[in-house]
Amino acid sequence: PQGVLELTFELEGALDTTLVRTFGAAVDSIRVDTTVAIPVGLSGALNVSVRARNSVDIIGGDGPVAANVVTGGAGDSEPPSARLEVSALPKLELTDSIQIQVLGNDDAQGSGIIQAGYTVLAISQARQDTLVRSGSATFTPARTGTVAAQFSVPVFNVDSLSLPDTLQYEVTGYLLDQAGNCSAAVSDELQQLECGNRGGAIIAEGRLGQRLNRAHVSGRTVQLPSGGLIMDAAVDTARRNLFLSNLTRNRVELFRLDSESFGPPVGVGSEPWGLAFSRDGDSLWVANSGGTNLSVIDLEQEREVESNRFLTPDVVIFDIELNAGETATTYKIYPLPTGANPSFSDRPQFAAVDSFGSVIYSTKTTLIGDIGTARKAFFEDGSDRSEVKLFVEHALTTPADDFWAVAHIDSIGTSLVETQIGSITITTAALTLYDHVPGFPDQVIVGRANTGSGELPTDAWAELVSKGSDAYMVEGARWDVPSLGFRDTTYVAGSGDGGWVAVGEGAREPVARVLMYRAQPGGATGLSGFIQVADLLTNPSEQVKGLGMNYDGTLTVVRGLQAAYFISPDLRLQGLTGIPLATTGAGAALHPLHADFRTLENPDGQYRPDTHLAFVGTGERTVDIIDTFKFLRIGRVAIRDVVVGPLKAILPFPEDNAGFQCSAVDVTDQAGRFIGQAVQVYEGNDFNAPIVPNGITEDRCVVVKLFGTTSSGGVVVVDVRKADILREHPER
């Protein structure tokens, strides 16, 4: 026997219908009990036949069996039994939905269920208004036994200019049988409540619906179509694309902002993390943290240019010790980190591109204890190969006689030179520093020193530099390796014009730091200085959890575990603002046209309340909006999840404000150059004169668009409106 796969029941006469029962696996024998509901009003002869089909399509049958249908007395008067299941996210975005399931069954002798439906009341206590929506699903033929119908109802009756907006939803489910009997349900237990009517929609008579209180928040969260872990986001405004680094899938996801749909992902290197655009805007750098390289994506072709993958070299620094004895002088060389300790990590993490096109990037710490670093990758015009240099200027050195701390060279050689003076053999030490001309690895250059000639390592270094080396040396000192490296996630942020890059260390041990780099050509890595984050709040446990820099580098925001700190390029604290539940969450950004902040280096800077704004993620599922001159929270945007990674800000697209009245102001940088137009928020550049809700700039005008990675594993896209900017303003 081949086994039965399918049974077909055919009814002819008073009722013409066919029922088919299929089985997942063929069986040798089977018994099936089924019930057929006879609609009210039918009568006459009824023939029932059955056919069985096996796995090789051989069919056998039986019947017909004759029956006679007669009209009953009172008919079906028993309503179905129904129950209701309702669910929704704890906080709802305007594109989210409420999930409703109506389940139940008709009685065994019933006429069968022909409709399942729902009614939702969206009640605003603040506005004292209620809107009603309803929907249904029909069953043909009528269903006997258990039925289930699922519905997805988009949120409604929400005031998008007053988010968060809390509504109370009241949901009723119902079932209707063929005889016209209706049962309503407001619970997840079976009920037979009397059906009533409200504005043409079915409700439970005399009963409130199942209640669901929900806050509605700003933003639209984008989840990856096939999962993964997002580490960074970058917005290509020219092509309207959002790029998301997917660490676990070794690719960069491409989300098209115009169609709000995902395009084909771009395969890159191992464990992609940080993203940064090239200065010409044609390429996207991707820091592959699972390897020692960076990918380059062509933004027009939307693919990696394999031949342009940037390969980074190993990095070693050295301590040189001179031991001078009565008859012998020797050098001892200490490559650092030593073999007994973790090495410098070469695995790129976050990145930014400076105005010369060089890539400033951090390297990640590893589980085996490898130390994170900050580096500069550059390519000299006309050179044979790219170069990478380690930032060392921020590192501490330990004073030590007869020691020299050296960086940015390839290797060191030592030898002994014996000189016979009478019966005495004098041994002196020769030192050779090896390097190459930056960009030309085959052009080896050397610097030499011999103690017999009274020469020291500084003489070898001077000779090397005179031949074109970029070697770095500190005399009378040893490297303090822990102070050079980083022990936690290290953020990197660049100014809009590429003139400055900030590097923020997240570690607590030995202490978190912020480094500032002013863009310089070639291999120059001089830092303007660095500041320990503890200096900002006299709290050694403070960390960096986000970093943002304004357009011309005149102000940087550091998101800590307690507050947002605002520092100028000379690393002087300009102000701070507390962050609610700051130990949870991350992310900080400045208005894309924030520029010309007044500092000691820029004494003629101008306060511009329209653009001097910061956006900081909090643990309260909000993005706080801070005036960076008053250091006052003046607004906030409620979102669904917590921002846990970098926060990016761009100007709105033209269509975001189409049909709105949105006045604009011209913005210039510290050099007086025009850099763009911003939506005007204040009258006459006066903080105390915010524009009224329906003034020359309406409250619904989008001022900035934000993008941030969130605790849900997605990226939230937030339109920050004028109403959000001024939500807590003292004059509103």
Side-chain angles (χ1 to χ4, degrees):
Q2 301 299 318
V4 176
L5 284 178
E6 181 181 272
L7 289 178
T8 301
F9 300 88
E10 292 185 343
L11 286 75
E12 297 178 325
L15 174 66
D16 292 324
T17 189
T18 300
L19 303 177
V20 179
R21 297 289 184 267
T22 58
F23 312 102
V27 293
D28 292 340
S29 62
I30 192 166
R31 175 175 175 171
V32 175
D33 294 323
T34 188
T35 302
V36 178
I38 305 297
V40 175
L42 293 184
S43 62
L46 179 66
N47 294 319
V48 181
S49 302
V50 64
R51 298 195 310 272
R53 181 177 64 84
N54 69 7
S55 58
V56 293
D57 282 339
I58 297 175
I59 297 174
D62 194 15
V65 174
N68 189 38
V69 179
V70 297
T71 302
D76 179 10
S77 60
E78 181 73 15
S81 297
R83 66 186 184 92
L84 175 68
E85 295 180 356
V86 182
S87 64
L89 293 169
K91 290 190 176 184
L92 295 171
E93 297 175 343
L94 300 187
T95 54
D96 285 333
S97 297
I98 301 168
Q99 305 305 316
I100 300 173
Q101 185 169 217
V102 181
L103 309 96
N105 56 270
D106 202 8
D107 66 288
Q109 302 301 317
S111 56
I113 296 170
I114 60 170
Q115 188 178 89
Y118 69 88
T119 298
V120 180
L121 278 62
I123 304 167
S124 170
Q125 300 289 352
R127 298 187 299 277
Q128 294 293 300
D129 69 343
T130 300
L131 293 182
V132 180
R133 284 191 181 172
S134 60
S136 63
T138 58
F139 305 108
T140 304
R143 295 281 183 89
T144 58
T146 300
V147 298
Q150 294 183 339
F151 306 95
S152 184
V153 182
V155 300
F156 63 103
N157 197 25
V158 181
D159 183 354
S160 61
L161 295 183
S162 298
L163 300 177
D165 187 18
T166 299
L167 298 180
Q168 182 180 90
Y169 291 102
E170 287 190 9
V171 185
T172 302
Y174 68 88
L175 294 176
L176 181 67
D177 70 16
Q178 193 163 226
N181 301 306
C182 180
S183 282
V186 296
S187 166
D188 59 1
E189 297 181 354
L190 287 173
Q191 295 178 303
Q192 291 179 311
L193 303 178
E194 181 182 352
C195 292
N197 184 284
R198 176 165 179 164
I202 295 175
I203 60 170
E205 186 66 38
R207 296 286 296 270
L208 298 175
Q210 187 175 144
R211 290 185 170 181
L212 199 69
N213 290 303
R214 288 294 186 269
H216 299 74
V217 296
S218 298
R220 180 183 185 280
T221 298
V222 179
Q223 298 290 350
L224 299 181
S226 56
L229 180 62
I230 299 172
M231 302 309 296
D232 200 6
V235 187
D236 179 7
T237 55
R239 300 166 186 82
R240 303 291 184 88
N241 288 326
L242 171 64
F243 292 92
L244 308 170
S245 56
N246 191 334
L247 183 86
T248 55
R249 295 300 181 95
N250 294 343
R251 67 194 194 190
V252 174
E253 308 288 350
L254 172 58
F255 184 74
R256 305 200 187 282
L257 296 173
D258 283 339
S259 62
E260 295 195 343
S261 62
F262 278 93
V266 181
V268 289
S270 176
E271 298 181 5
W273 197 305
L275 303 173
F277 291 109
S278 61
R279 290 310 300 171
D280 60 13
D282 292 336
S283 303
L284 179 69
W285 287 88
V286 183
N288 296 318
S289 69
T292 58
N293 53 72
L294 296 96
S295 294
V296 179
I297 294 176
D298 184 305
L299 296 178
E300 286 293 338
Q301 300 183 35
E302 297 177 354
R303 67 174 183 84
E304 180 183 3
V305 182
E306 288 84 356
S307 59
N308 286 353
R309 183 171 290 190
F310 193 96
L311 308 177
T312 67
D314 192 15
V315 174
V316 180
I317 58 177
F318 302 90
D319 280 342
I320 301 173
E321 181 184 13
L322 176 63
N323 291 313
E326 291 184 2
T327 60
T329 301
T330 59
Y331 281 111
K332 190 170 184 179
I333 309 301
Y334 303 90
L336 299 172
T338 63
N341 296 319
S343 64
F344 291 135
S345 169
D346 295 322
R347 298 165 64 175
Q349 188 171 39
F350 283 109
V353 177
D354 72 12
S355 57
F356 294 96
S358 300
V359 181
I360 313 303
Y361 66 96
S362 60
T363 62
K364 63 177 285 189
T365 58
T366 66
L367 293 177
I368 61 173
D370 285 344
I371 302 167
T373 62
R375 306 186 185 195
K376 177 179 180 177
F378 62 97
F379 192 96
E380 295 275 20
D381 289 341
S383 61
D384 294 339
R385 192 189 72 179
S386 58
E387 293 282 342
V388 173
K389 288 186 66 175
L390 181 72
F391 283 99
V392 297
E393 292 83 356
H394 64 285
L396 302 177
T397 55
T398 303
D401 293 337
D402 299 323
F403 270 89
W404 290 260
V406 186
H408 308 330
I409 64 173
D410 294 338
S411 61
I412 301 177
T414 63
S415 61
L416 298 177
V417 179
E418 293 185 348
T419 303
Q420 194 73 28
I421 302 178
S423 61
I424 300 175
T425 301
I426 303 297
T427 302
T428 59
L431 178 75
T432 304
L433 305 182
Y434 294 92
D435 200 5
H436 63 275
V437 176
F440 299 91
D442 295 332
Q443 295 185 25
V444 178
I445 51 179
V446 298
R448 294 184 173 89
N450 191 318
T451 58
S453 303
E455 297 169 335
L456 295 174
T458 47
D459 297 299
W461 168 79
E463 180 184 358
L464 200 63
V465 171
S466 70
K467 295 177 179 179
S469 171
D470 53 5
Y472 179 88
M473 178 176 283
V474 180
E475 185 177 6
R478 304 187 67 175
W479 288 115
D480 180 344
V481 172
S483 71
L484 187 149
F486 306 126
R487 293 289 184 180
D488 202 346
T489 299
T490 301
Y491 296 88
V492 178
S495 61
D497 63 2
W500 288 87
V501 175
V503 179
E505 176 189 14
R508 298 186 185 188
E509 296 293 342
V511 69
R513 290 160 293 179
V514 175
L515 288 61
M516 299 289 284
Y517 158 79
R518 173 173 260 162
Q520 301 171 69
T525 56
L527 298 168
S528 69
F530 70 93
I531 187 170
Q532 295 181 352
V533 176
D535 294 343
L536 302 177
L537 197 62
T538 64
N539 187 332
S541 66
E542 186 60 297
Q543 291 181 259
V544 175
K545 300 296 288 182
L547 200 61
M549 185 173 276
N550 74 351
Y551 182 86
D552 56 6
T554 50
L555 190 71
T556 296
V557 56
V558 180
R559 200 278 195 195
L561 281 177
Q562 301 179 46
Y565 307 97
F566 299 91
I567 57 177
S568 50
D570 55 2
L571 292 164
R572 295 187 62 81
L573 179 64
Q574 300 301 313
L576 59 91
T577 306
I579 304 172
L581 296 179
T583 54
T584 303
L590 292 165
H591 190 293
L593 296 182
H594 190 303
D596 199 24
F597 188 83
R598 188 167 181 264
T599 67
L600 290 175
E601 288 189 1
N602 184 40
D604 296 327
Q606 299 293 317
Y607 168 47
R608 299 167 180 164
D610 293 313
T611 58
H612 282 194
L613 301 169
F615 306 90
V616 181
T618 81
E620 291 186 329
R621 290 183 167 86
T622 67
V623 175
D624 282 4
I625 303 168
I626 300 168
D627 181 282
T628 63
F629 185 78
K630 307 288 185 181
F631 305 106
L632 173 72
R633 187 178 82 190
I634 59 172
R636 63 178 2 195
V637 181
I639 56 177
R640 196 179 72 187
D641 305 299
V642 176
V643 175
V644 295
L647 194 62
K648 304 295 177 70
I650 66 169
L651 295 176
F653 297 130
E655 61 269 23
D656 290 328
N657 290 325
F660 303 164
Q661 179 172 285
C662 306
S663 179
V665 292
D666 291 346
V667 183
T668 57
D669 64 8
Q670 61 179 323
R673 293 182 292 256
F674 173 77
I675 60 175
Q677 284 194 319
V679 172
Q680 185 177 355
V681 180
Y682 296 92
E683 296 277 5
N685 202 42
D686 183 357
F687 176 82
N688 296 311
I691 296 172
V692 297
N694 294 313
I696 57 174
T697 299
E698 300 175 45
D699 269 9
R700 57 183 174 172
C701 292
V702 179
V703 177
V704 165
K705 295 176 80 76
L706 297 178
F707 301 83
T709 55
T710 69
S711 54
S712 70
V715 167
V716 64
V717 182
V718 183
D719 288 341
V720 181
R721 302 181 185 275
K722 172 175 158 256
D724 301 315
I725 300 286
L726 300 174
R727 192 168 305 282
E728 298 180 3
H729 194 283
E731 299 298 326
R732 284 290 292 263

